[in-house]
Amino acid sequence: VLRHMADGLIAVDLEGRIIHANQAAMDILKTTPEQVASTDYDSLIEGIFYGDMSLKDLREKAQDGPQAESFETGGFIYTIRYDKFRDELNREAGMILIIQDITQRHKLENMQMDFVANVSHELKTPLTTIKSYTETMLDSCPEDPELSKSFLQIIDSEADRMARLVRDLLQLSRLEYKQEEMHKQDINLTEILESAVTKVWLQAQGKKQQMNRLFDPGGVATIYADKDQVEQVLLNVLSNAIKYTEPGGRIDIDLRLAGSQVNTTIKDNGVGIPEEDVSRVFERFFRVDKARSRAMGGTGLGLAISKQIVENHEGKILLDSKEGKGTTVTLQFPLVSHRGQRNID
């Protein structure tokens, strides 16, 4: 049990000799059984445990009972719990230490704090606007009908923004906990893509952008999926391509079969994303240019929702981008693996 436990365990006698160190402890200390057998505790932890962690220090701090501390080394965060242990005659015999890797837990806690801070900020902004314009109308009661209408339109717009944020948060939560109701059936992804392109066509024309259908609209690529959710993903990616591509830009849409999967690619020559931010674009509320993104609308949750939807369909969403050159988003879905079609829509 001690040898195979996931946490590191070290037992040291009063002379500093290591009585036992399991494999997890040796992995953390980057040592071998031979080094453990020939090295005392203080020498073994040198350069790895920082602060007052010598055997003498541990014994002094454990006078009042079990103790716990945290430390970081090699990019990992560990918590170490230690206490004295006694022999069968109740005499102090040494120290026992348990080392636990809490790197992932620490990361999740930070993400949770960031999430709460982001939600608070996103809700506070429209609330502040609604409050200020409402107070202005209550205090001064503008007689100009046009001015009153303008104020009310701003209040209405900000209320809609809050509603979108709450709606997206609820959907993302349901998707992550597999609580979103799905109506899967065999669907032709080519038809869904053609429909999505048609829906955003006027939006692209308004910016004089060139949208190129590189796929055969009459082709068949059958996947087993929820039609509405897949279309939501396609519309989100297409809308982002239009939003972040300058007027007169180019957007290429393609769909290709690749073995047992189908790849849908949406490529633009827009503003692109800095290299250091590419890995973060699927994080909730992450925006490359916060001021510009908020001015363009959106909640900062679109790609996070899209990623969850695609993964719930056993697919992948990939993003490649270069700042100033453009962005390519690839959606990969598994093709149906059977002959014939079930309830194809």
Side-chain angles (χ1 to χ4, degrees):
V1 172
L2 297 180
R3 185 182 304 119
H4 295 289
M5 64 188 288
D7 296 338
L9 181 140
I10 302 173
V12 187
D13 68 15
L14 296 177
E15 304 301 321
R17 291 186 296 264
I18 298 173
I19 303 169
H20 179 79
N22 67 357
Q23 188 59 51
M26 288 189 284
D27 290 342
I28 293 168
L29 297 173
K30 296 180 174 58
T31 189
T32 64
E34 292 74 23
Q35 288 176 311
V36 169
S38 61
T39 309
D40 65 19
Y41 167 80
D42 286 346
S43 299
L44 193 66
I45 68 164
E46 189 174 353
I48 299 176
F49 291 178
Y50 298 100
D52 303 327
M53 298 296 290
S54 69
L55 179 59
K56 180 182 176 182
D57 294 324
L58 296 184
R59 290 182 64 188
E60 289 178 357
K61 288 188 283 188
Q63 290 291 341
D64 299 325
Q67 302 294 318
E69 298 184 35
S70 297
F71 67 95
E72 183 175 354
T73 181
F76 293 90
I77 301 172
Y78 299 96
T79 182
I80 179 168
R81 289 175 287 135
Y82 54 91
D83 195 9
K84 296 178 180 180
F85 71 88
R86 299 180 178 277
D87 60 18
E88 61 275 10
L89 299 177
N90 201 33
R91 296 175 302 191
E92 183 183 347
M95 299 293 301
I96 187 164
L97 301 85
I98 296 178
I99 312 168
Q100 185 179 28
D101 184 349
I102 60 168
T103 309
Q104 190 62 25
R105 189 175 77 192
H106 191 263
K107 181 181 178 182
L108 289 173
E109 287 172 353
N110 285 340
M111 288 175 64
Q112 189 177 38
M113 288 188 291
D114 289 344
F115 177 68
V116 172
N118 282 325
V119 171
S120 301
H121 178 77
E122 294 293 337
L123 287 172
K124 181 180 178 181
T125 304
L127 272 174
T128 302
T129 303
I130 291 171
K131 180 72 172 172
S132 60
Y133 276 91
T134 303
E135 287 179 345
T136 301
M137 292 191 71
L138 289 172
D139 291 342
S140 59
C141 192
E143 297 179 2
D144 185 350
E146 289 300 317
L147 183 59
S148 296
K149 184 178 179 181
S150 173
F151 281 15
L152 289 171
Q153 285 174 337
I154 292 171
I155 293 170
D156 184 59
S157 175
E158 292 300 288
D160 286 343
R161 181 176 161 188
M162 288 180 62
R164 286 194 302 271
L165 175 62
V166 172
R167 180 197 63 209
D168 286 354
L169 281 170
L170 288 173
Q171 183 184 13
L172 184 56
S173 176
R174 290 195 301 268
L175 286 166
E176 288 179 338
Y177 289 98
K178 303 291 190 296
Q179 294 174 342
E180 180 86 338
E181 189 174 356
M182 296 176 70
H183 302 283
K184 284 188 174 182
Q185 58 184 329
D186 286 0
I187 60 173
N188 184 357
L189 183 59
T190 311
E191 292 181 359
I192 306 301
L193 180 59
E194 174 67 18
S195 172
V197 172
T198 301
K199 288 180 179 179
V200 299
W201 190 267
L202 286 178
Q203 187 182 346
Q205 291 297 301
K207 295 182 70 174
K208 295 183 170 53
Q209 293 169 343
Q210 182 181 350
M211 292 192 76
N212 302 303
R213 293 180 175 91
L214 304 181
F215 62 96
D216 177 10
V220 176
T222 307
I223 63 173
Y224 186 57
D226 183 299
K227 176 182 175 182
D228 292 337
Q229 289 189 10
V230 171
E231 186 174 49
Q232 180 183 352
V233 173
L234 291 170
L235 288 171
N236 180 60
V237 176
L238 286 167
S239 296
N240 279 349
I242 294 169
K243 186 187 300 183
Y244 296 109
T245 299
E246 301 295 338
R250 174 189 176 105
I251 300 169
D252 294 335
I253 304 112
D254 200 4
L255 182 148
R256 293 179 182 273
L257 302 181
S260 61
Q261 69 181 29
V262 54
N263 296 338
T264 303
T265 305
I266 298 166
K267 180 180 180 181
D268 65 62
N269 63 349
V271 296
I273 301 168
E275 183 179 353
E276 64 271 16
D277 291 331
V278 171
S279 63
R280 300 190 59 197
V281 293
F282 295 108
E283 293 179 14
R284 293 174 287 192
F285 295 113
F286 180 77
R287 291 181 171 99
V288 177
D289 184 341
K290 292 181 172 56
R292 180 176 181 180
S293 297
R294 287 197 180 94
M296 290 179 172
T299 61
L301 295 170
L303 283 177
I305 290 173
S306 297
K307 183 175 186 288
Q308 199 65 53
I309 288 175
V310 172
E311 290 180 350
N312 285 357
H313 284 82
E314 300 176 5
K316 292 181 180 178
I317 180 168
L318 309 172
L319 185 143
D320 181 55
S321 186
K322 286 185 172 59
E323 190 172 14
K325 298 291 182 66
T327 301
T328 301
V329 177
T330 302
L331 305 171
Q332 299 178 344
F333 289 102
L335 291 164
V336 292
S337 57
H338 57 83
R339 300 175 68 88
Q341 297 174 337
R342 302 166 296 184
N343 307 317
I344 190 163
D345 184 45

